[in-house]
């Protein structure tokens, strides 16, 4: 398990708000390659929905597939994979 200190995580967390669950219209989902990941936590800090937790699990109820986490990952450990529906 990768240990990311909470001090480095986004201050916001997913809640029911005006936008509701943002994951319903997601086209791509982030997939973390834990072999490449160094546990820096940048993905969680940059996620605008606070959808990545301390264990790097993505809450797909709120992940909207924007790809910011993948773009910011210094290890290129996140791949955006098209949803199959
Ligand atoms: S794709 Fe966007 S919303 Fe989903 S976890 Fe990454 S940064 Fe957050
Ligand atoms: S930004 Fe990349 S390397 Fe850093 S914790 Fe997230 S997936 Fe791992």
């Amino acid at each position: 398990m990768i240990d990311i200190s909470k001090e480095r995580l986004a201050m916001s967390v997913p809640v029911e708000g005006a936008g509701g669950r943002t994951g319903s219209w997601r086209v791509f989902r982030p997939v973390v390659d834990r072999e490449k990941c160094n546990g820096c936590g940048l993905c969680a800090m940059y996620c605008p929905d606070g959808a990545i937790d301390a264990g790097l699990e993505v809450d797909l109820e709120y992940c909207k597939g924007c790809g910011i986490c993948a773009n910011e990952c210094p290890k290129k450990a996140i791949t955006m994979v098209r949803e199959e529906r």
Side-chain angles (χ1 to χ4, degrees), residues 4 32 37-43 56 73-75 77-78:
I4 300 173
V32 179
C37 172
N38 66 4
C40 67
L42 283 175
C43 52
L56 296 183
C73 174
K75 303 297 285 183
I78 302 178

Side-chain angles (χ1 to χ4, degrees), residues 30 47-49 52 58 63-69 80:
C47 176
D49 288 295
I52 305 177
V58 178
C63 167
K64 59 191 173 205
C66 65
I68 290 174
C69 54
M80 299 303 293

